[in-house]
Amino acid sequence: MRKLTLLFAAIGYVAVSFAQSNVASKDWGTGEYAGVWKLSVGKPEKINLLSELDITPKREALQEMPDGALPISPADVKIELRDGKTYISFPLEKEEKIFGLGLNFKTVEQRGRIMRLHMDHYTGSDNGRTHAPVPFFISSRGYGVLINSARYIDLWVGTAVRKGPDAPEEQDRNTDRTWPAQPYSDNIEVLVPAEGVEMVFFAGPTMLDVVRRYNLYNGGGALPPRWGLGFWHRTPTLFTDKDVKAEVDEFEKRGFPLSVIGLEPGWHSKAYPCTYEWDKSRFPDASGFVKDMLDENIRLNLWMNPYVSKHSEVYDKIKPYTGSHTVWLGEVPDYSMPEACKIMTDHFRKHQLDLGVSGYKMDENDGYDSWLWPDVATFPSGIPAEQLRNLYGSLMQQATVKMYREKNLRTYGQVRAGNAGTNAYPYVLYNDYYDHRGFITALINSSFIGVLWTPEVRSSKTSEEWLRRMQTVCFSPIAQLNAWADGTKPWTFTDVEDDIREIALLRIQLIPYLYTAFADYAFYGTPPVRAMNLEEGYAAEAQTVEGRLDATDNPYAMAIRREVKDQFMVGENILVAPLFAGEKERKVVLPQGKWFDFYTGKFAGEGEVITVAPGRHIPVYVKDGGIIPLWPAMSKFEDRKYPLEVRHYGNKPATYSLYDDDGSSYNFEKGEYTRIDLTVTVDKKGRKKGKAILLKGKQVWSFSEYNFKFMTE
Ligand code: GAL
C-alpha cells in the first residue's frame, strides 16, 4: 500500500491513501484490480457498508476486464475534513449524466437531485429514503464511485454552485426568459457525517463496464436456483395447509405454471413480532405439508420480519444479543454479531430448512421511522443504530444465505432492504408502493446499484391493468403474484385469463435464457435486467421542456425533464417495452443496429424511435443476431432435460453461450457447469445453419436436443 498526501487548493492538507495494484492511470497510482482504486480520507470508521459482509471479490473476472482509466484525476476530487465530518466534491461536466444513488422510483438520471441516503420505506419521492439507498453513482463519462459509509449521506447532485472563475454568468429574471432556477452546477457535493471515509473508484470505459466492475468487486451477482425463475404465488394471510393445497390444485387444473408458493403472516404461531414456529391450528403437520408440496415440485417461501416474539422458543437465547428498543414490542436481534446469527439460523434450520423450506421473504428490515428503533437505540455489538439501520437487510441476507450455503443449497427469496455489497446474495427487493410505472423505473435503477427488484403484481382495478402488470413481472427477476391481502389469482379477470396463461408459460419457456443471464451476472457482473443507458448504441436524451410559471405549483417556472424510464433490457438480446393500463400504443427507443419483433421475427427498426400498437402482447424486441433458447411451454418443470427451441433473429451470424448446471447447488463455483455454444452461420446466399457446440466430456443437465428456428425470413 502506498501513502500519498495531496494538497487540495484552499482546503489544506488531507491525508489520502490509495490501495491499488495495476497501473491504469498514472495520476491514480496502481490498484489491486485493473480499473479499481480505493481511496481513504481522514479516519474512516471501522464499520462501513462492506466491513460486516463476507465478500470475496471475483478476482479473475476483474483481471479479465479491459484496462480502464479514470476520466478524472485525484486533484479533481475536493476533500475537506471539518466539524468531525467529511465533505467531498466531485466534478461535473456540462453534458455529464449521473445514474445510481439508490433504488429510485421516479427518476433514472440523478443530476439535479438532493438526497439523504437513508434506509426506509419508499414513500413517493426520490429523496434518498428507499429500500436500497446505495451510495454508488455512475457517471456518463465512464466511471463510478462507491462512498463506502453506512451513515446517512447527503448529496447535492449538480445543484450547488461554488464561487469561482467557472461559475455561470448571473442572469436577470426581469428581462431574461432563459433565467434558470437551478443555474449550471459543476459539482456533486457530498457530506458524510464521519471523520473520514473510504471510497472505491471504478473505471469504464463504458457505464456497463463500471457496473460490472462494481458487481465483481462485491463478489459477482447472485445465481438463483433454476426453480426460482418459475412462477411464484403468495397466498393470503391466515391461509391453512388445506387452503394452500386447494390453491395449488387449482393452478394445476387451469394449466397455470407454479414453482413457488409464498406463505404470508399466519404460518407463524405469532406474527408482528414473530415466533418463526409453525401455527399448529393452521399447519398441524408442517413437515408433512412441506414434503407434499415438494412432491408436487412446489417450493415454499416463508414471510417473516426480524422482530422476535416473547412466545418464541428462541426468545431467551436471543435476548442478550438484541437492541435497547423493541419493534412492535419484539426483540431486535443484532445480526452483526455471529452469536445472534447462529441463534437465529439454528432456529430457522430446525423449523424450516430441515423440513425442506426453500427460503424467506424478509419483510420490514428497511424500517419505517414511526415504528422502527430510533437512532438513539444501542446494540450489543456497539454498532450505532444509524449504521445498523443501513446495514440490517444486508446482514439478514448474509445470515440466511450462509445457512443454505452450509447445506450446499441455493435459496432465492425476497427482502425489503439491501445496500452496497449485497449483489451476490440471491434476494430480490419489493415494496408496497405499487405504482406500475414507478415499479418499472425501479427495475431499471436496480441495475445501476447491484440489487434485484420485482414489480410484483397484487391487485388491479381493471383486467387491462392486470394483464399489463402480469406481462411486465414475467420479464423481471421474480415473476410473482402477491395475493397476501386481496386473494387474487392469475385468473381473477376471466377475460384475460388466456393471455396471462400465455405470458406465464412464456416465462417458463424463457428459463434457459434467464438462467444464462443470471450466470452472466454471477460470472461477469452483468445485470440480468438492465437500464437502456447501459446498452451500447442507446442514445435517448431526456427532453427538457420549459416549465410554466404558476404562482403556487411552479413559482420559479422550473423546467420539466422527461426521460425514458419505461423500457429495459433482459439478458443479452431482449428489449422489453411494457404497456401500461390506458395505453393502446407507445414509443420505443431502439438502440443502434437492427431490431426484430420477438413474436414474428419481422424487422422493427434500427437506431430510431418507433411507435407500436401491439394489441394484447407486451412489446418485446430482439437484437440482430439475437439467439433466444426456449424450453417447451409447460406448467411444471423438474430437474431434468427438455428439448430446446433455439430461436435466431435477424440476419447476422451469431454465437450465444448458453449456461447450464445442476440448478440448485453451489457446485458451479467449483467448475461444475457447462457453456454450450449455440452458433448460427449465414452463407453467401443468406442460408442459415445452426449448431450446438459442447466441449467433450462436459455434462448437460437441462437440455436434451437443440432445434434451431430462424425467425426472420
Ligand atoms: C407488508 C409486505 C406485504 C405483505 C404484508 C403482510 O409489509 O410488503 O407484501 O407481506 O406485509 O402483512
Side-chain angles (χ1 to χ4, degrees), residues 121 234 237 263-265 272 303-304 328 361 363-364 366 371 414 416 430-433 456 458 480 482 484-485:
H121 286 200
R234 307 203 77 88
T237 55
L263 300 185
E264 288 288 315
Y272 296 92
W303 171 94
M304 59 132 110
W328 297 308
K361 163 174 165 177
D363 207 26
E364 298 288 356
D366 46 342
W371 50 72
Q414 293 190 272
R416 272 265 287 271
Y430 66 95
N431 74 0
D432 296 330
Y433 178 58
E456 64 174 31
R458 295 185 172 194
Q480 172 172 277
N482 176 9
W484 76 276

Side-chain angles (χ1 to χ4, degrees), residues 135-149:
F136 175 57
F137 73 79
I138 299 144
S139 155
S140 57
R141 290 176 71 187
Y143 81 104
V145 184
L146 170 68
I147 303 158
N148 185 13
S149 164

Side-chain angles (χ1 to χ4, degrees), residues 103 105 119-121 130-133 222 232 234 264 301-307 335 359-367 389-401 411-419 422-432 450-456 458 477-478 480 482:
L103 191 68
F105 289 75
M119 184 63 76
D120 203 348
H121 286 200
T130 183
H131 312 271
W232 293 46
R234 307 203 77 88
E264 288 288 315
N301 176 283
L302 304 185
W303 171 94
M304 59 132 110
N305 65 45
Y307 313 116
Y335 274 100
Y360 297 96
K361 163 174 165 177
M362 303 191 297
D363 207 26
E364 298 288 356
N365 39 21
D366 46 342
R389 177 154 179 185
N390 276 340
L391 281 168
Y392 208 85
S394 313
L395 294 168
M396 288 187 78
Q397 292 185 46
Q398 169 162 273
T400 45
V401 169
T411 178
Y412 198 33
Q414 293 190 272
V415 71
R416 272 265 287 271
N419 214 324
T422 55
N423 43 259
Y425 300 141
Y427 276 101
V428 181
L429 292 155
Y430 66 95
N431 74 0
D432 296 330
V451 298
L452 300 170
W453 163 262
T454 174
E456 64 174 31
R458 295 185 172 194
I478 286 187
Q480 172 172 277
N482 176 9

Side-chain angles (χ1 to χ4, degrees), residues 11-137:
I11 292 172
Y13 286 96
V14 173
V16 180
S17 68
F18 297 86
Q20 307 105 21
S21 64
N22 289 352
V23 178
S25 154
K26 72 175 182 327
D27 282 348
W28 288 91
T30 50
E32 201 180 344
Y33 308 106
V36 181
W37 296 263
K38 218 190 238 180
L39 186 157
S40 324
V41 293
K43 279 184 268 156
E45 294 182 286
K46 212 175 101 245
I47 306 296
N48 60 43
L49 290 172
L50 309 181
S51 62
E52 305 313 290
L53 305 179
D54 208 0
I55 295 169
T56 314
K58 283 261 176 334
R59 187 174 289 271
E60 270 172 39
L62 273 169
Q63 298 299 18
E64 274 165 23
M65 286 202 61
D67 252 359
L70 292 174
I72 57 168
S73 78
D76 295 330
V77 184
K78 301 189 177 76
I79 298 161
E80 197 178 346
L81 299 171
R82 92 183 119 80
D83 316 328
K85 298 178 184 142
T86 307
Y87 300 82
I88 311 159
S89 185
F90 296 96
L92 269 183
E93 283 187 345
K94 268 243 154 68
E95 303 304 325
E96 190 171 349
K97 294 176 187 161
I98 297 296
F99 301 90
L101 295 174
L103 191 68
N104 290 303
F105 289 75
K106 295 203 162 156
T107 52
V108 173
E109 294 181 21
Q110 301 308 324
R111 192 164 179 161
R113 314 204 65 76
I114 299 168
M115 355 185 163
R116 166 167 290 189
L117 297 176
H118 188 306
M119 184 63 76
D120 203 348
H121 286 200
Y122 179 78
T123 51
S125 136
D126 289 1
N127 58 11
R129 284 190 175 246
T130 183
H131 312 271
V134 183
F136 175 57
F137 73 79

Side-chain angles (χ1 to χ4, degrees), residues 577-606:
L579 241 77
F580 300 95
E583 282 185 348
K584 292 283 168 274
E585 56 173 47
R586 64 158 290 164
K587 288 193 164 49
V588 182
V589 184
L590 297 175
Q592 292 303 309
K594 293 191 169 73
W595 291 81
F596 298 84
D597 184 274
F598 171 77
Y599 307 95
T600 63
K602 290 211 172 86
F603 176 69
E606 177 174 14

Side-chain angles (χ1 to χ4, degrees), residues 625-643:
I627 288 177
I628 314 284
L630 293 176
W631 259 357
M634 49 194 170
S635 59
K636 287 257 176 75
F637 59 90
E638 294 161 20
D639 276 335
R640 68 172 177 85
K641 293 179 182 171
Y642 295 100

Side-chain angles (χ1 to χ4, degrees), residues 694-707:
L694 175 67
L695 282 183
K696 258 215 176 106
K698 280 290 211 179
Q699 188 177 349
V700 176
W701 289 265
S702 50
F703 317 116
S704 55
E705 52 189 273
Y706 309 87
N707 304 306

